[in-house]
Coordinates of all heavy atoms in Angstrom, one line a residue:
E21 N -5.5 0.8 -15.8 CA -5.7 -0.7 -16.0 C -6.0 -1.0 -17.5 O -6.9 -1.7 -17.8 CB -6.8 -1.2 -15.1 CG -6.5 -1.0 -13.7 CD -7.6 -1.5 -12.7 OE1 -8.7 -1.8 -13.2 OE2 -7.4 -1.5 -11.5
T22 N -5.1 -0.5 -18.4 CA -5.2 -0.7 -19.8 C -3.8 -0.7 -20.4 O -3.0 0.1 -20.1 CB -6.1 0.3 -20.5 OG1 -6.2 -0.1 -21.9 CG2 -5.6 1.7 -20.4
P23 N -3.6 -1.6 -21.4 CA -2.3 -1.6 -22.1 C -2.3 -0.6 -23.3 O -1.3 -0.4 -23.9 CB -2.2 -3.0 -22.6 CG -3.6 -3.4 -22.8 CD -4.4 -2.8 -21.7
R24 N -3.5 0.1 -23.6 CA -3.6 0.9 -24.7 C -3.0 2.3 -24.6 O -3.6 3.3 -25.1 CB -5.1 1.1 -25.1 CG -5.9 -0.1 -25.3 CD -7.3 0.2 -25.6 NE -7.7 1.3 -24.7 CZ -8.8 2.1 -24.9 NH1 -9.5 1.9 -26.0 NH2 -9.1 3.1 -24.1
V25 N -1.9 2.5 -23.9 CA -1.4 3.8 -23.7 C -0.1 3.9 -24.5 O 0.8 3.1 -24.5 CB -1.0 4.0 -22.2 CG1 -0.4 5.4 -22.0 CG2 -2.3 3.8 -21.3
E26 N 0.0 5.0 -25.3 CA 1.2 5.4 -26.0 C 1.6 6.8 -25.6 O 1.0 7.4 -24.8 CB 0.8 5.4 -27.5 CG 0.3 4.0 -27.9 CD 0.5 3.6 -29.3 OE1 1.3 4.3 -30.0 OE2 -0.1 2.7 -29.7
A27 N 2.8 7.2 -26.1 CA 3.4 8.5 -25.7 C 2.4 9.7 -25.8 O 2.4 10.6 -25.0 CB 4.7 8.7 -26.4
N28 N 1.6 9.6 -26.9 CA 0.7 10.8 -27.1 C -0.8 10.5 -26.7 O -1.7 11.3 -27.1 CB 0.8 11.2 -28.6 CG 0.3 10.1 -29.5 OD1 0.1 9.0 -29.1 ND2 0.2 10.5 -30.8
S29 N -1.0 9.5 -25.9 CA -2.4 9.2 -25.5 C -2.9 10.1 -24.4 O -2.1 10.5 -23.5 CB -2.4 7.7 -24.9 OG -2.1 6.8 -25.8
D30 N -4.1 10.7 -24.6 CA -4.7 11.6 -23.7 C -5.3 10.8 -22.5 O -6.2 9.9 -22.7 CB -5.7 12.4 -24.4 CG -6.3 13.5 -23.5 OD1 -7.0 13.1 -22.5 OD2 -6.1 14.7 -23.8
F31 N -4.9 11.1 -21.3 CA -5.3 10.4 -20.1 C -6.8 10.4 -20.0 O -7.5 9.4 -19.7 CB -4.7 11.1 -18.9 CG -5.1 10.5 -17.6 CD1 -4.5 9.3 -17.1 CD2 -6.0 11.1 -16.8 CE1 -4.9 8.8 -15.9 CE2 -6.4 10.6 -15.6 CZ -5.8 9.4 -15.1
F32 N -7.4 11.6 -20.2 CA -8.9 11.7 -20.1 C -9.7 11.0 -21.2 O -10.7 10.4 -20.9 CB -9.3 13.2 -20.0 CG -8.7 13.8 -18.7 CD1 -7.6 14.7 -18.9 CD2 -9.1 13.5 -17.5 CE1 -7.0 15.3 -17.8 CE2 -8.5 14.1 -16.3 CZ -7.5 15.0 -16.5
E33 N -9.1 11.0 -22.4 CA -9.8 10.2 -23.5 C -9.7 8.7 -23.3 O -10.5 8.0 -23.8 CB -9.1 10.6 -24.8 CG -9.5 12.0 -25.3 CD -8.8 12.4 -26.6 OE1 -8.2 11.5 -27.2 OE2 -8.9 13.6 -26.9
L34 N -8.7 8.3 -22.5 CA -8.6 6.9 -22.1 C -9.5 6.5 -21.0 O -9.5 5.3 -20.5 CB -7.2 6.5 -21.8 CG -6.2 6.5 -23.0 CD1 -4.8 6.3 -22.5 CD2 -6.6 5.5 -24.0
G35 N -10.3 7.4 -20.4 CA -11.2 7.1 -19.4 C -10.8 7.6 -18.0 O -11.5 7.3 -17.0
G36 N -9.7 8.3 -17.9 CA -9.2 8.9 -16.7 C -10.1 10.0 -16.2 O -10.8 10.6 -17.0
D37 N -10.1 10.2 -14.9 CA -10.8 11.3 -14.3 C -9.9 12.0 -13.3 O -8.7 11.6 -13.1 CB -12.1 10.8 -13.6 CG -11.9 9.7 -12.6 OD1 -10.8 9.7 -11.9 OD2 -12.8 8.9 -12.3
S38 N -10.4 13.0 -12.6 CA -9.6 13.8 -11.7 C -9.0 13.0 -10.5 O -7.9 13.2 -10.1 CB -10.3 15.0 -11.2 OG -11.5 14.6 -10.5
L39 N -9.8 12.0 -10.0 CA -9.3 11.2 -8.9 C -8.2 10.3 -9.4 O -7.2 10.2 -8.7 CB -10.5 10.3 -8.4 CG -10.2 9.4 -7.2 CD1 -9.7 10.3 -6.0 CD2 -11.4 8.6 -6.8
L40 N -8.3 9.7 -10.6 CA -7.2 8.9 -11.1 C -6.0 9.7 -11.4 O -4.9 9.3 -11.3 CB -7.7 8.1 -12.3 CG -8.7 7.0 -12.0 CD1 -9.2 6.3 -13.3 CD2 -8.2 5.9 -11.1
A41 N -6.2 11.0 -11.9 CA -5.1 11.9 -12.2 C -4.3 12.1 -10.9 O -3.0 12.2 -11.0 CB -5.6 13.2 -12.7
T42 N -4.9 12.2 -9.8 CA -4.1 12.4 -8.5 C -3.3 11.2 -8.2 O -2.2 11.3 -7.7 CB -5.0 12.7 -7.3 OG1 -5.9 11.7 -7.1 CG2 -5.8 14.0 -7.6
R43 N -3.7 10.0 -8.6 CA -2.9 8.8 -8.4 C -1.7 8.8 -9.3 O -0.6 8.4 -8.9 CB -3.8 7.5 -8.7 CG -4.8 7.3 -7.6 CD -5.6 6.0 -7.8 NE -4.7 4.9 -7.9 CZ -5.1 3.8 -8.5 NH1 -6.4 3.6 -8.9 NH2 -4.3 2.7 -8.6
V44 N -1.9 9.3 -10.6 CA -0.8 9.4 -11.5 C 0.2 10.5 -11.0 O 1.4 10.2 -10.9 CB -1.3 9.9 -12.9 CG1 -0.1 10.3 -13.8 CG2 -2.1 8.8 -13.6
L45 N -0.3 11.6 -10.5 CA 0.6 12.6 -10.0 C 1.4 12.1 -8.7 O 2.6 12.4 -8.6 CB -0.2 13.9 -9.6 CG -0.7 14.7 -10.8 CD1 -1.7 15.7 -10.4 CD2 0.4 15.2 -11.7
S46 N 0.8 11.4 -7.9 CA 1.4 10.8 -6.7 C 2.5 9.8 -7.2 O 3.6 9.8 -6.6 CB 0.5 10.1 -5.8 OG -0.4 11.0 -5.2
A47 N 2.2 9.0 -8.2 CA 3.2 8.0 -8.7 C 4.4 8.7 -9.3 O 5.5 8.3 -9.2 CB 2.6 7.1 -9.7
I48 N 4.1 9.8 -10.0 CA 5.2 10.6 -10.7 C 6.1 11.2 -9.6 O 7.3 11.1 -9.7 CB 4.6 11.7 -11.6 CG1 4.0 11.1 -12.9 CG2 5.7 12.7 -11.9 CD1 3.3 12.0 -13.8
A49 N 5.5 11.8 -8.6 CA 6.2 12.4 -7.5 C 7.1 11.3 -6.8 O 8.3 11.5 -6.5 CB 5.3 13.0 -6.5
R50 N 6.6 10.1 -6.6 CA 7.3 9.0 -5.9 C 8.4 8.5 -6.8 O 9.6 8.4 -6.4 CB 6.3 7.9 -5.6 CG 6.9 6.8 -4.8 CD 5.9 5.7 -4.5 NE 5.1 5.2 -5.6 CZ 3.8 5.5 -5.8 NH1 3.1 6.2 -5.0 NH2 3.2 5.0 -6.9
D51 N 8.1 8.3 -8.1 CA 9.1 7.7 -9.0 C 10.2 8.7 -9.5 O 11.3 8.3 -9.7 CB 8.4 7.1 -10.2 CG 7.6 5.9 -9.9 OD1 7.6 5.5 -8.7 OD2 7.0 5.3 -10.8
F52 N 9.8 10.0 -9.6 CA 10.7 10.9 -10.2 C 11.3 11.9 -9.2 O 12.2 12.7 -9.4 CB 10.1 11.7 -11.3 CG 9.8 10.9 -12.6 CD1 8.6 10.2 -12.7 CD2 10.7 10.8 -13.6 CE1 8.3 9.5 -13.8 CE2 10.5 10.0 -14.7 CZ 9.3 9.4 -14.8
G53 N 10.6 12.0 -8.0 CA 11.1 12.9 -7.0 C 10.7 14.4 -7.3 O 11.3 15.3 -6.7
T54 N 9.8 14.6 -8.2 CA 9.3 15.9 -8.6 C 7.8 15.9 -8.6 O 7.2 15.0 -9.2 CB 9.8 16.2 -10.0 OG1 11.3 16.1 -10.0 CG2 9.4 17.6 -10.5
E55 N 7.3 17.0 -8.0 CA 5.8 17.1 -8.0 C 5.3 18.0 -9.1 O 5.8 19.1 -9.3 CB 5.3 17.6 -6.6 CG 5.5 16.6 -5.5 CD 4.9 17.0 -4.2 OE1 3.9 17.7 -4.3 OE2 5.3 16.5 -3.2
L56 N 4.3 17.5 -9.8 CA 3.6 18.4 -10.8 C 2.2 18.6 -10.2 O 1.7 17.8 -9.4 CB 3.4 17.6 -12.1 CG 4.7 17.3 -12.8 CD1 4.4 16.5 -14.1 CD2 5.5 18.5 -13.2
D57 N 1.6 19.8 -10.5 CA 0.3 20.0 -10.0 C -0.8 19.6 -11.0 O -0.5 19.4 -12.1 CB 0.1 21.5 -9.5 CG 0.3 22.5 -10.6 OD1 -0.1 22.3 -11.7 OD2 0.8 23.6 -10.3
Y58 N -2.0 19.6 -10.5 CA -3.1 19.2 -11.3 C -3.3 20.0 -12.6 O -3.6 19.5 -13.7 CB -4.4 19.1 -10.5 CG -5.6 18.6 -11.3 CD1 -5.7 17.2 -11.6 CD2 -6.6 19.4 -11.7 CE1 -6.7 16.7 -12.3 CE2 -7.6 19.0 -12.5 CZ -7.7 17.6 -12.7 OH -8.8 17.1 -13.4
E59 N -3.1 21.3 -12.5 CA -3.2 22.2 -13.7 C -2.2 21.8 -14.7 O -2.5 21.9 -15.9 CB -3.1 23.7 -13.3 CG -4.2 24.2 -12.5 CD -4.2 23.8 -11.0 OE1 -3.2 23.4 -10.5 OE2 -5.3 23.7 -10.4
E60 N -1.0 21.5 -14.3 CA 0.0 21.1 -15.3 C -0.4 19.8 -16.0 O -0.2 19.6 -17.2 CB 1.4 20.9 -14.6 CG 2.0 22.2 -14.1 CD 3.3 21.9 -13.4 OE1 3.2 21.3 -12.3 OE2 4.3 22.4 -13.8

Side-chain angles (χ1 to χ4, degrees):
E21 298 178 352
T22 182
R24 302 176 325 157
V25 180
E26 304 207 10
N28 62 351
S29 296
D30 184 294
F31 179 80
F32 297 107
E33 289 178 6
L34 291 172
D37 57 27
S38 60
L39 184 59
L40 292 175
T42 61
R43 290 182 54 201
V44 169
L45 291 169
S46 293
I48 288 171
R50 184 177 53 251
D51 290 1
F52 292 90
T54 303
E55 290 191 25
L56 298 175
D57 62 34
Y58 183 73
E59 288 78 23
E60 290 174 300

